[in-house]
Amino acid sequence: MYEKDIQQDIVAYLETRGWYVIKLIQTTKNGIPDLLCLKDGITMFIEVKLPNGVLSDLQKYRLHQLSDMNFHCFVISNLNQLQHAITDISTKLPEKWPFDYFD
């Protein structure tokens, strides 16, 4: 199995669950994670790696940089890890966002 196969599985899984997924191919920031995932005000970045894959120093830096900006960032090698990541995100979300003043 290749990283692109894992990435396709991740995209399909997320999109069937209502996520808007953007594959970040070429950006002005080298080392940016592979996928930008958006749903219900949540922003998640995913770097896809094979189980024995290694992050470059620049990838580590970008993940820490994004995480320091309070984005959810994950290195994912399989759907099981992805499911755990989504569960982790959902347990940390407030019931109502502080900027929802429209009711």
Side-chain angles (χ1 to χ4, degrees), residues 30-70:
N30 292 333
I32 202 80
D34 298 313
L35 302 173
L36 169 61
C37 312
L38 309 166
K39 181 180 179 183
D40 298 332
I42 302 165
T43 302
M44 174 173 61
F45 288 92
I46 297 176
E47 177 62 36
V48 179
K49 288 290 181 192
L50 291 171
N52 60 349
V54 177
L55 292 172
S56 70
D57 288 340
L58 183 55
Q59 288 173 317
K60 290 176 190 175
Y61 173 79
R62 290 290 180 226
L63 288 167
H64 285 289
Q65 185 181 43
L66 292 165
S67 182
D68 287 346
M69 296 171 68
N70 293 318

mmCIF file of all heavy atoms in Angstrom, residues 30-70:
data_model
loop_
_atom_site.group_PDB
_atom_site.id
_atom_site.type_symbol
_atom_site.label_atom_id
_atom_site.label_comp_id
_atom_site.label_asym_id
_atom_site.label_seq_id
_atom_site.Cartn_x
_atom_site.Cartn_y
_atom_site.Cartn_z
ATOM 1 N N ASN A 30 6.275 25.344 2.311
ATOM 2 C CA ASN A 30 6.760 23.968 2.220
ATOM 3 C C ASN A 30 6.528 23.257 3.536
ATOM 4 O O ASN A 30 6.542 23.861 4.597
ATOM 5 C CB ASN A 30 8.249 23.943 1.863
ATOM 6 C CG ASN A 30 8.514 24.427 0.459
ATOM 7 O OD1 ASN A 30 7.664 24.327 -0.414
ATOM 8 N ND2 ASN A 30 9.696 24.971 0.238
ATOM 9 N N GLY A 31 6.287 21.961 3.474
ATOM 10 C CA GLY A 31 6.109 21.158 4.676
ATOM 11 C C GLY A 31 4.699 21.168 5.232
ATOM 12 O O GLY A 31 4.442 20.554 6.268
ATOM 13 N N ILE A 32 3.781 21.853 4.553
ATOM 14 C CA ILE A 32 2.398 21.914 5.031
ATOM 15 C C ILE A 32 1.785 20.511 4.960
ATOM 16 O O ILE A 32 2.128 19.732 4.066
ATOM 17 C CB ILE A 32 1.580 22.947 4.215
ATOM 18 C CG1 ILE A 32 0.345 23.431 4.972
ATOM 19 C CG2 ILE A 32 1.189 22.425 2.864
ATOM 20 C CD1 ILE A 32 0.621 24.466 5.985
ATOM 21 N N PRO A 33 0.905 20.128 5.888
ATOM 22 C CA PRO A 33 0.304 18.792 5.848
ATOM 23 C C PRO A 33 -0.456 18.525 4.543
ATOM 24 O O PRO A 33 -0.838 19.455 3.824
ATOM 25 C CB PRO A 33 -0.649 18.800 7.043
ATOM 26 C CG PRO A 33 -0.068 19.796 7.982
ATOM 27 C CD PRO A 33 0.504 20.871 7.094
ATOM 28 N N ASP A 34 -0.697 17.248 4.275
ATOM 29 C CA ASP A 34 -1.310 16.811 3.016
ATOM 30 C C ASP A 34 -2.755 17.266 2.850
ATOM 31 O O ASP A 34 -3.174 17.599 1.743
ATOM 32 C CB ASP A 34 -1.289 15.277 2.913
ATOM 33 C CG ASP A 34 0.116 14.724 2.912
ATOM 34 O OD1 ASP A 34 0.959 15.253 2.167
ATOM 35 O OD2 ASP A 34 0.365 13.757 3.654
ATOM 36 N N LEU A 35 -3.527 17.230 3.924
ATOM 37 C CA LEU A 35 -4.965 17.456 3.827
ATOM 38 C C LEU A 35 -5.434 18.545 4.780
ATOM 39 O O LEU A 35 -5.018 18.587 5.941
ATOM 40 C CB LEU A 35 -5.736 16.170 4.146
ATOM 41 C CG LEU A 35 -5.429 14.954 3.271
ATOM 42 C CD1 LEU A 35 -6.150 13.724 3.818
ATOM 43 C CD2 LEU A 35 -5.813 15.207 1.823
ATOM 44 N N LEU A 36 -6.309 19.396 4.270
ATOM 45 C CA LEU A 36 -7.021 20.385 5.063
ATOM 46 C C LEU A 36 -8.465 19.920 5.118
ATOM 47 O O LEU A 36 -9.094 19.729 4.075
ATOM 48 C CB LEU A 36 -6.921 21.765 4.417
ATOM 49 C CG LEU A 36 -7.820 22.869 4.968
ATOM 50 C CD1 LEU A 36 -7.510 23.145 6.435
ATOM 51 C CD2 LEU A 36 -7.666 24.132 4.131
ATOM 52 N N CYS A 37 -8.998 19.707 6.311
ATOM 53 C CA CYS A 37 -10.331 19.130 6.495
ATOM 54 C C CYS A 37 -11.186 20.095 7.309
ATOM 55 O O CYS A 37 -10.764 20.536 8.379
ATOM 56 C CB CYS A 37 -10.216 17.791 7.226
ATOM 57 S SG CYS A 37 -8.963 16.706 6.532
ATOM 58 N N LEU A 38 -12.384 20.389 6.794
ATOM 59 C CA LEU A 38 -13.258 21.381 7.409
ATOM 60 C C LEU A 38 -14.650 20.813 7.623
ATOM 61 O O LEU A 38 -15.204 20.166 6.734
ATOM 62 C CB LEU A 38 -13.370 22.610 6.500
ATOM 63 C CG LEU A 38 -12.053 23.221 6.017
ATOM 64 C CD1 LEU A 38 -12.299 24.189 4.881
ATOM 65 C CD2 LEU A 38 -11.341 23.893 7.170
ATOM 66 N N LYS A 39 -15.203 21.058 8.812
ATOM 67 C CA LYS A 39 -16.580 20.641 9.099
ATOM 68 C C LYS A 39 -17.076 21.359 10.341
ATOM 69 O O LYS A 39 -16.398 21.349 11.374
ATOM 70 C CB LYS A 39 -16.662 19.128 9.317
ATOM 71 C CG LYS A 39 -18.080 18.652 9.584
ATOM 72 C CD LYS A 39 -18.138 17.148 9.795
ATOM 73 C CE LYS A 39 -19.569 16.730 10.075
ATOM 74 N NZ LYS A 39 -19.685 15.317 10.354
ATOM 75 N N ASP A 40 -18.250 21.949 10.237
ATOM 76 C CA ASP A 40 -18.922 22.564 11.390
ATOM 77 C C ASP A 40 -18.001 23.487 12.185
ATOM 78 O O ASP A 40 -17.995 23.485 13.410
ATOM 79 C CB ASP A 40 -19.481 21.481 12.325
ATOM 80 C CG ASP A 40 -20.534 20.615 11.644
ATOM 81 O OD1 ASP A 40 -21.213 21.113 10.720
ATOM 82 O OD2 ASP A 40 -20.663 19.440 12.037
ATOM 83 N N GLY A 41 -17.203 24.274 11.498
ATOM 84 C CA GLY A 41 -16.316 25.211 12.174
ATOM 85 C C GLY A 41 -15.028 24.596 12.691
ATOM 86 O O GLY A 41 -14.241 25.271 13.341
ATOM 87 N N ILE A 42 -14.807 23.342 12.414
ATOM 88 C CA ILE A 42 -13.598 22.647 12.855
ATOM 89 C C ILE A 42 -12.600 22.631 11.699
ATOM 90 O O ILE A 42 -12.965 22.338 10.561
ATOM 91 C CB ILE A 42 -13.911 21.194 13.263
ATOM 92 C CG1 ILE A 42 -14.954 21.166 14.367
ATOM 93 C CG2 ILE A 42 -12.634 20.459 13.681
ATOM 94 C CD1 ILE A 42 -15.570 19.801 14.567
ATOM 95 N N THR A 43 -11.355 22.922 12.000
ATOM 96 C CA THR A 43 -10.281 22.836 11.013
ATOM 97 C C THR A 43 -9.285 21.795 11.492
ATOM 98 O O THR A 43 -8.798 21.863 12.618
ATOM 99 C CB THR A 43 -9.569 24.188 10.844
ATOM 100 O OG1 THR A 43 -10.536 25.163 10.453
ATOM 101 C CG2 THR A 43 -8.479 24.099 9.797
ATOM 102 N N MET A 44 -9.023 20.840 10.612
ATOM 103 C CA MET A 44 -8.105 19.748 10.950
ATOM 104 C C MET A 44 -7.103 19.590 9.805
ATOM 105 O O MET A 44 -7.483 19.584 8.640
ATOM 106 C CB MET A 44 -8.921 18.462 11.146
ATOM 107 C CG MET A 44 -8.118 17.205 11.351
ATOM 108 S SD MET A 44 -9.136 15.753 11.788
ATOM 109 C CE MET A 44 -10.220 15.558 10.378
ATOM 110 N N PHE A 45 -5.825 19.483 10.151
ATOM 111 C CA PHE A 45 -4.778 19.207 9.179
ATOM 112 C C PHE A 45 -4.296 17.777 9.386
ATOM 113 O O PHE A 45 -4.093 17.351 10.523
ATOM 114 C CB PHE A 45 -3.592 20.156 9.361
ATOM 115 C CG PHE A 45 -3.875 21.567 8.924
ATOM 116 C CD1 PHE A 45 -4.354 22.509 9.825
ATOM 117 C CD2 PHE A 45 -3.655 21.953 7.609
ATOM 118 C CE1 PHE A 45 -4.610 23.809 9.433
ATOM 119 C CE2 PHE A 45 -3.908 23.253 7.207
ATOM 120 C CZ PHE A 45 -4.390 24.187 8.118
ATOM 121 N N ILE A 46 -4.122 17.059 8.283
ATOM 122 C CA ILE A 46 -3.655 15.673 8.366
ATOM 123 C C ILE A 46 -2.436 15.480 7.471
ATOM 124 O O ILE A 46 -2.466 15.804 6.284
ATOM 125 C CB ILE A 46 -4.751 14.680 7.931
ATOM 126 C CG1 ILE A 46 -5.952 14.755 8.873
ATOM 127 C CG2 ILE A 46 -4.192 13.256 7.861
ATOM 128 C CD1 ILE A 46 -7.116 13.870 8.463
ATOM 129 N N GLU A 47 -1.386 14.963 8.067
ATOM 130 C CA GLU A 47 -0.226 14.501 7.316
ATOM 131 C C GLU A 47 -0.368 12.991 7.210
ATOM 132 O O GLU A 47 -0.503 12.294 8.223
ATOM 133 C CB GLU A 47 1.080 14.862 8.031
ATOM 134 C CG GLU A 47 2.330 14.362 7.343
ATOM 135 C CD GLU A 47 2.529 14.945 5.952
ATOM 136 O OE1 GLU A 47 2.201 16.119 5.717
ATOM 137 O OE2 GLU A 47 3.039 14.204 5.092
ATOM 138 N N VAL A 48 -0.378 12.476 5.996
ATOM 139 C CA VAL A 48 -0.542 11.045 5.763
ATOM 140 C C VAL A 48 0.836 10.412 5.626
ATOM 141 O O VAL A 48 1.670 10.879 4.846
ATOM 142 C CB VAL A 48 -1.388 10.782 4.492
ATOM 143 C CG1 VAL A 48 -1.537 9.289 4.256
ATOM 144 C CG2 VAL A 48 -2.754 11.456 4.604
ATOM 145 N N LYS A 49 1.063 9.366 6.397
ATOM 146 C CA LYS A 49 2.329 8.631 6.345
ATOM 147 C C LYS A 49 2.057 7.134 6.360
ATOM 148 O O LYS A 49 1.079 6.678 6.955
ATOM 149 C CB LYS A 49 3.214 8.968 7.558
ATOM 150 C CG LYS A 49 3.826 10.338 7.533
ATOM 151 C CD LYS A 49 4.880 10.439 6.464
ATOM 152 C CE LYS A 49 5.527 11.797 6.448
ATOM 153 N NZ LYS A 49 6.331 12.006 5.257
ATOM 154 N N LEU A 50 2.926 6.388 5.726
ATOM 155 C CA LEU A 50 2.887 4.937 5.872
ATOM 156 C C LEU A 50 3.225 4.607 7.324
ATOM 157 O O LEU A 50 3.848 5.421 8.019
ATOM 158 C CB LEU A 50 3.906 4.283 4.936
ATOM 159 C CG LEU A 50 3.593 4.375 3.441
ATOM 160 C CD1 LEU A 50 4.772 3.886 2.618
ATOM 161 C CD2 LEU A 50 2.342 3.578 3.110
ATOM 162 N N PRO A 51 2.834 3.432 7.808
ATOM 163 C CA PRO A 51 3.111 3.093 9.217
ATOM 164 C C PRO A 51 4.580 3.256 9.612
ATOM 165 O O PRO A 51 4.884 3.614 10.741
ATOM 166 C CB PRO A 51 2.673 1.635 9.316
ATOM 167 C CG PRO A 51 1.593 1.514 8.296
ATOM 168 C CD PRO A 51 2.040 2.400 7.146
ATOM 169 N N ASN A 52 5.491 3.048 8.678
ATOM 170 C CA ASN A 52 6.923 3.207 8.990
ATOM 171 C C ASN A 52 7.479 4.528 8.444
ATOM 172 O O ASN A 52 8.681 4.728 8.427
ATOM 173 C CB ASN A 52 7.725 2.031 8.446
ATOM 174 C CG ASN A 52 7.597 1.893 6.940
ATOM 175 O OD1 ASN A 52 6.751 2.541 6.311
ATOM 176 N ND2 ASN A 52 8.427 1.062 6.347
ATOM 177 N N GLY A 53 6.587 5.428 8.029
ATOM 178 C CA GLY A 53 7.003 6.712 7.469
ATOM 179 C C GLY A 53 7.595 7.632 8.520
ATOM 180 O O GLY A 53 7.308 7.518 9.708
ATOM 181 N N VAL A 54 8.429 8.541 8.068
ATOM 182 C CA VAL A 54 9.127 9.458 8.963
ATOM 183 C C VAL A 54 8.828 10.894 8.523
ATOM 184 O O VAL A 54 8.909 11.222 7.347
ATOM 185 C CB VAL A 54 10.653 9.214 8.923
ATOM 186 C CG1 VAL A 54 11.397 10.207 9.790
ATOM 187 C CG2 VAL A 54 10.960 7.786 9.351
ATOM 188 N N LEU A 55 8.490 11.741 9.491
ATOM 189 C CA LEU A 55 8.287 13.151 9.201
ATOM 190 C C LEU A 55 9.622 13.850 9.017
ATOM 191 O O LEU A 55 10.581 13.588 9.758
ATOM 192 C CB LEU A 55 7.558 13.835 10.356
ATOM 193 C CG LEU A 55 6.117 13.468 10.621
ATOM 194 C CD1 LEU A 55 5.645 14.101 11.927
ATOM 195 C CD2 LEU A 55 5.231 13.901 9.477
ATOM 196 N N SER A 56 9.672 14.763 8.047
ATOM 197 C CA SER A 56 10.876 15.585 7.910
ATOM 198 C C SER A 56 10.861 16.639 9.022
ATOM 199 O O SER A 56 9.830 16.895 9.651
ATOM 200 C CB SER A 56 10.886 16.271 6.538
ATOM 201 O OG SER A 56 9.881 17.281 6.482
ATOM 202 N N ASP A 57 12.005 17.251 9.248
ATOM 203 C CA ASP A 57 12.074 18.312 10.262
ATOM 204 C C ASP A 57 11.130 19.456 9.910
ATOM 205 O O ASP A 57 10.497 20.037 10.790
ATOM 206 C CB ASP A 57 13.508 18.832 10.398
ATOM 207 C CG ASP A 57 14.429 17.841 11.087
ATOM 208 O OD1 ASP A 57 13.918 16.934 11.789
ATOM 209 O OD2 ASP A 57 15.657 17.968 10.932
ATOM 210 N N LEU A 58 11.017 19.773 8.626
ATOM 211 C CA LEU A 58 10.126 20.849 8.202
ATOM 212 C C LEU A 58 8.662 20.481 8.433
ATOM 213 O O LEU A 58 7.871 21.312 8.875
ATOM 214 C CB LEU A 58 10.365 21.197 6.723
ATOM 215 C CG LEU A 58 9.545 22.365 6.179
ATOM 216 C CD1 LEU A 58 9.741 23.624 7.028
ATOM 217 C CD2 LEU A 58 9.896 22.624 4.724
ATOM 218 N N GLN A 59 8.295 19.226 8.175
ATOM 219 C CA GLN A 59 6.926 18.778 8.447
ATOM 220 C C GLN A 59 6.618 18.862 9.941
ATOM 221 O O GLN A 59 5.542 19.305 10.340
ATOM 222 C CB GLN A 59 6.710 17.350 7.941
ATOM 223 C CG GLN A 59 6.638 17.253 6.435
ATOM 224 C CD GLN A 59 6.594 15.820 5.964
ATOM 225 O OE1 GLN A 59 7.319 14.960 6.470
ATOM 226 N NE2 GLN A 59 5.737 15.556 4.984
ATOM 227 N N LYS A 60 7.556 18.448 10.771
ATOM 228 C CA LYS A 60 7.371 18.559 12.225
ATOM 229 C C LYS A 60 7.180 20.014 12.622
ATOM 230 O O LYS A 60 6.307 20.331 13.431
ATOM 231 C CB LYS A 60 8.584 17.977 12.965
ATOM 232 C CG LYS A 60 8.723 16.487 12.874
ATOM 233 C CD LYS A 60 9.994 16.039 13.562
ATOM 234 C CE LYS A 60 10.283 14.594 13.294
ATOM 235 N NZ LYS A 60 11.581 14.180 13.858
ATOM 236 N N TYR A 61 7.989 20.889 12.062
ATOM 237 C CA TYR A 61 7.892 22.311 12.368
ATOM 238 C C TYR A 61 6.514 22.850 11.988
ATOM 239 O O TYR A 61 5.880 23.550 12.777
ATOM 240 C CB TYR A 61 8.993 23.079 11.625
ATOM 241 C CG TYR A 61 8.850 24.576 11.754
ATOM 242 C CD1 TYR A 61 9.254 25.237 12.910
ATOM 243 C CD2 TYR A 61 8.292 25.321 10.716
ATOM 244 C CE1 TYR A 61 9.106 26.610 13.044
ATOM 245 C CE2 TYR A 61 8.136 26.700 10.834
ATOM 246 C CZ TYR A 61 8.546 27.337 11.992
ATOM 247 O OH TYR A 61 8.381 28.684 12.120
ATOM 248 N N ARG A 62 6.038 22.526 10.778
ATOM 249 C CA ARG A 62 4.730 23.017 10.320
ATOM 250 C C ARG A 62 3.598 22.480 11.208
ATOM 251 O O ARG A 62 2.672 23.219 11.544
ATOM 252 C CB ARG A 62 4.475 22.641 8.870
ATOM 253 C CG ARG A 62 5.311 23.357 7.881
ATOM 254 C CD ARG A 62 4.941 24.818 7.750
ATOM 255 N NE ARG A 62 5.818 25.419 6.768
ATOM 256 C CZ ARG A 62 6.442 26.571 6.928
ATOM 257 N NH1 ARG A 62 6.259 27.275 8.036
ATOM 258 N NH2 ARG A 62 7.219 27.033 6.000
ATOM 259 N N LEU A 63 3.655 21.212 11.567
ATOM 260 C CA LEU A 63 2.615 20.648 12.433
ATOM 261 C C LEU A 63 2.598 21.347 13.795
ATOM 262 O O LEU A 63 1.531 21.670 14.322
ATOM 263 C CB LEU A 63 2.803 19.144 12.593
ATOM 264 C CG LEU A 63 2.463 18.311 11.355
ATOM 265 C CD1 LEU A 63 2.985 16.884 11.501
ATOM 266 C CD2 LEU A 63 0.960 18.311 11.105
ATOM 267 N N HIS A 64 3.763 21.600 14.360
ATOM 268 C CA HIS A 64 3.842 22.319 15.635
ATOM 269 C C HIS A 64 3.355 23.760 15.471
ATOM 270 O O HIS A 64 2.640 24.282 16.330
ATOM 271 C CB HIS A 64 5.264 22.301 16.191
ATOM 272 C CG HIS A 64 5.654 20.989 16.778
ATOM 273 N ND1 HIS A 64 5.140 20.511 17.968
ATOM 274 C CD2 HIS A 64 6.503 20.033 16.331
ATOM 275 C CE1 HIS A 64 5.650 19.328 18.226
ATOM 276 N NE2 HIS A 64 6.479 19.010 17.250
ATOM 277 N N GLN A 65 3.713 24.379 14.371
ATOM 278 C CA GLN A 65 3.299 25.755 14.105
ATOM 279 C C GLN A 65 1.772 25.846 14.032
ATOM 280 O O GLN A 65 1.164 26.721 14.654
ATOM 281 C CB GLN A 65 3.945 26.212 12.783
ATOM 282 C CG GLN A 65 3.712 27.643 12.422
ATOM 283 C CD GLN A 65 4.368 27.986 11.094
ATOM 284 O OE1 GLN A 65 4.288 27.216 10.136
ATOM 285 N NE2 GLN A 65 5.026 29.138 11.047
ATOM 286 N N LEU A 66 1.154 24.942 13.293
ATOM 287 C CA LEU A 66 -0.307 24.936 13.153
ATOM 288 C C LEU A 66 -0.986 24.575 14.474
ATOM 289 O O LEU A 66 -2.008 25.157 14.840
ATOM 290 C CB LEU A 66 -0.730 23.973 12.048
ATOM 291 C CG LEU A 66 -0.341 24.404 10.628
ATOM 292 C CD1 LEU A 66 -0.464 23.238 9.662
ATOM 293 C CD2 LEU A 66 -1.183 25.594 10.188
ATOM 294 N N SER A 67 -0.420 23.629 15.182
ATOM 295 C CA SER A 67 -0.962 23.236 16.474
ATOM 296 C C SER A 67 -0.890 24.392 17.470
ATOM 297 O O SER A 67 -1.827 24.619 18.240
ATOM 298 C CB SER A 67 -0.199 22.019 17.002
ATOM 299 O OG SER A 67 -0.727 21.597 18.220
ATOM 300 N N ASP A 68 0.197 25.149 17.438
ATOM 301 C CA ASP A 68 0.336 26.311 18.309
ATOM 302 C C ASP A 68 -0.704 27.387 17.988
ATOM 303 O O ASP A 68 -1.000 28.233 18.831
ATOM 304 C CB ASP A 68 1.742 26.913 18.199
ATOM 305 C CG ASP A 68 2.803 26.063 18.878
ATOM 306 O OD1 ASP A 68 2.440 25.147 19.663
ATOM 307 O OD2 ASP A 68 4.004 26.288 18.603
ATOM 308 N N MET A 69 -1.259 27.341 16.784
ATOM 309 C CA MET A 69 -2.311 28.279 16.379
ATOM 310 C C MET A 69 -3.695 27.694 16.676
ATOM 311 O O MET A 69 -4.706 28.194 16.202
ATOM 312 C CB MET A 69 -2.167 28.601 14.896
ATOM 313 C CG MET A 69 -0.869 29.317 14.560
ATOM 314 S SD MET A 69 -0.574 29.459 12.792
ATOM 315 C CE MET A 69 -1.877 30.607 12.341
ATOM 316 N N ASN A 70 -3.723 26.608 17.459
ATOM 317 C CA ASN A 70 -4.957 25.941 17.908
ATOM 318 C C ASN A 70 -5.714 25.214 16.807
ATOM 319 O O ASN A 70 -6.927 25.034 16.907
ATOM 320 C CB ASN A 70 -5.883 26.923 18.638
ATOM 321 C CG ASN A 70 -5.274 27.368 19.937
ATOM 322 O OD1 ASN A 70 -4.701 26.561 20.671
ATOM 323 N ND2 ASN A 70 -5.352 28.644 20.222
#
